[in-house]
Amino acid sequence: MLHHGSQQLPQAPWITTAAASTMDRSFPTPITLGNNRTIMGQAMFTGHKDIGFKGLVCPKQSGLGASTGTCTSDFLRSDNPTMRGKVVLCFGYLPYGASEIIKAAGGVGLIIANSPTYYISPCDDLPCVEVDYDVGAQLLSYIRSSRKPMVKLSPSKTLVGKPLSVKIARFSSRGPRCLSPEILKPDVAAPGVNVLAAMSPKNKDAYDGFALESGTSMACPHVAGIVALLKSLHPSWSPAAIRSALTTTASTTDTSGEPIFTIGDAQKLAGPFDFGGGIVNPNRASDPGLIYDMGVTDYVHYLCSIGYINSAISKLTLHPSVCPSKKPSILNLNLPSITVPNLRSSVTITRTVTNVGPIDSTYVISVEHPLGVKVAVRPQMLVFNSTVKKLSFTITLSSSHKTIGGYYIGSLSWSDGIHKVTIPISVRTEIIPSYTDRF
Ligand SMILES: *[C@@H]1O[C@H](CO)[C@@H](O)[C@H](O)[C@H]1NC(C)=O
């Protein structure tokens, strides 16, 4: 019945997806080495007294490779004498119950080198500090170059505010989704790294019923909470309207105006495939000015555009649904984003915006062009009044054929001087090989 295999469904455009970002908060924990150098890790290590200088060990692996410094279950045995009285440095993910085993083996501390932190746990009574791979490598080279490596772990401090840059977490999924690359994913980003979360007081990984947790599972509740607030402020808004309000008002810089980076194989500036419209801004989302709305007809046209037949769509909508005789273009789905995965020479896309701000409003366009792509918007001004609530415009994207490979990013903003309604543009140009190119 379905056009696509049931395992690999195309992206449902009615779902809002959240990426996970860090936030302007950290828990720096000083790690002082025997050579008196201090480097910073992160921990929730508060109630402990200073343990003083202790020996530092790391599991030895022959050679250098992906497994260097990994605390395998072979190493993590309570009868392994090398951990006695020492702080243990482990790279990568730890087997379950690692901190208890280290304690049972007489270990006095744990440093986990991992990037980025999924979870900062107090590790019961064992001081445990998380560092990124880079700091882990510095610690490892100190161990290897020192005859008697020593380390001191000091209690954590809390830092809030400007000095910390906001990044999209490594574990946060990236777009595009290959089965429906025209639908930008993710939609927005929200804090999802080291989020102070309530847990069962019985949970041994928690500290008096609280722990710092990371994941898109932490970012999603932030977005769901904002959605609930928006729905209570604007009960008539559709899910698409709410997603539009979130996306078009999201921030592409952090609170101090610095760009947002992404933690991946290489650190680079974040773009729409990392954070959608950007990091959610609940206050701005409550008053977006214009929304890119969608309803059942839009979703039916989407299903038509990806090849679902009338009978299949009717089963979903629970009433007879008929596709238009001319197959709709997926690019015209009224998303608060424009994503063109295969621009050849030029394409014209339509969007419709609904005024949810002051009744008499005039919006003008501004465009940031993706590299090598000309963006022409018609009309350049939208005038709303008591009878005109919705207006459509066209966006014509033309390729200069000067760029190859990868997506180029731009944006399109409507502004009335108070509201700024911005959607991201991502375009990949397709080069049609000419005869001479083949040789
Ligand atoms: C709203 O604008 C439209 C188009 O410019 C115009 O035809 C209409 O008369 C206006 N309505 C009011 C109430 O001003």
Side-chain angles (χ1 to χ4, degrees), residues 105-268:
V108 294
L110 170 61
I111 300 173
I112 309 158
N114 211 337
S115 184
T117 46
Y118 266 94
Y119 184 64
I120 298 181
S121 75
C123 304
D124 301 302
D125 299 330
L126 193 74
C128 80
V129 183
E130 307 206 354
V131 297
D132 61 27
Y133 278 119
D134 184 47
V135 171
Q138 293 176 44
L139 291 170
L140 191 63
S141 89
Y142 165 69
I143 293 175
R144 288 179 172 175
S145 65
S146 169
R147 277 173 62 217
K148 205 164 173 275
M150 303 289 280
V151 71
K152 183 175 84 171
L153 305 177
S154 306
S156 310
K157 301 175 174 73
T158 301
L159 252 189
V160 178
K162 289 191 173 181
L164 302 157
S165 67
V166 173
K167 300 183 180 100
I168 301 300
R170 180 192 291 265
F171 58 76
S172 184
S173 293
R174 287 354 190 232
R177 184 172 161 87
C178 56
L179 277 173
S180 23
E182 301 86 354
I183 296 176
L184 178 65
K185 289 292 155 189
D187 293 292
V188 283
V193 177
N194 296 336
V195 177
L196 187 60
M199 296 184 87
S200 160
K202 296 230 162 92
N203 190 321
K204 287 175 84 188
D205 288 332
Y207 188 84
D208 285 345
F210 287 93
L212 294 164
E213 286 228 51
S214 300
T216 41
S217 54
M218 292 286 106
C220 283
H222 282 103
V223 176
I226 298 165
V227 166
L229 285 172
L230 291 177
K231 187 70 183 170
S232 65
L233 280 171
H234 306 286
S236 66
W237 282 10
S238 68
I242 291 173
R243 190 246 309 264
S244 171
L246 290 171
T247 309
T248 60
T249 60
S251 181
T252 56
T253 57
D254 69 14
T255 46
S256 50
E258 295 298 321
I260 294 161
F261 288 88
T262 161
I263 309 168
D265 292 334
Q267 186 162 308
K268 62 174 185 69

Side-chain angles (χ1 to χ4, degrees), residues 155-395:
S156 310
K157 301 175 174 73
T158 301
L159 252 189
V160 178
K162 289 191 173 181
L164 302 157
S165 67
V166 173
K167 300 183 180 100
I168 301 300
R170 180 192 291 265
F171 58 76
S172 184
S173 293
R174 287 354 190 232
R177 184 172 161 87
C178 56
L179 277 173
S180 23
E182 301 86 354
I183 296 176
L184 178 65
K185 289 292 155 189
D187 293 292
V188 283
V193 177
N194 296 336
V195 177
L196 187 60
M199 296 184 87
S200 160
K202 296 230 162 92
N203 190 321
K204 287 175 84 188
D205 288 332
Y207 188 84
D208 285 345
F210 287 93
L212 294 164
E213 286 228 51
S214 300
T216 41
S217 54
M218 292 286 106
C220 283
H222 282 103
V223 176
I226 298 165
V227 166
L229 285 172
L230 291 177
K231 187 70 183 170
S232 65
L233 280 171
H234 306 286
S236 66
W237 282 10
S238 68
I242 291 173
R243 190 246 309 264
S244 171
L246 290 171
T247 309
T248 60
T249 60
S251 181
T252 56
T253 57
D254 69 14
T255 46
S256 50
E258 295 298 321
I260 294 161
F261 288 88
T262 161
I263 309 168
D265 292 334
Q267 186 162 308
K268 62 174 185 69
L269 286 178
F273 295 120
D274 305 299
F275 61 20
I279 295 186
V280 280
N281 183 328
N283 287 343
R284 287 191 59 206
S286 69
D287 180 23
L290 304 178
I291 51 174
Y292 291 77
D293 203 2
M294 279 194 273
V296 173
T297 309
D298 301 274
Y299 299 136
V300 166
H301 285 183
Y302 165 68
L303 294 171
C304 300
S305 75
I306 59 172
Y308 279 67
I309 55 172
N310 290 341
S311 59
I313 297 171
S314 302
K315 277 190 180 143
L316 278 173
T317 56
L318 303 177
H319 60 77
S321 298
V322 182
C323 288
S325 52
K326 184 172 181 286
K327 195 167 153 176
S329 165
I330 191 169
L331 294 174
N332 289 334
L333 190 64
N334 205 35
L335 292 163
S337 54
I338 291 169
T339 315
V340 182
N342 53 355
L343 181 66
R344 289 204 161 174
S345 52
S346 91
V347 66
T348 296
I349 296 166
T350 305
R351 287 287 182 276
T352 302
V353 282
T354 307
N355 181 20
V356 294
I359 288 166
D360 293 297
S361 297
T362 300
Y363 281 82
V364 291
I365 193 76
S366 64
V367 175
E368 265 181 59
H369 295 255
L371 192 67
V373 178
K374 202 171 145 264
V375 183
V377 179
R378 268 183 206 93
Q380 301 242 307
M381 189 187 277
L382 301 176
V383 183
F384 297 92
N385 62 25
S386 58
T387 48
V388 179
K389 304 273 185 206
K390 262 178 197 258
L391 285 168
S392 295
F393 59 96
T394 62
I395 310 110

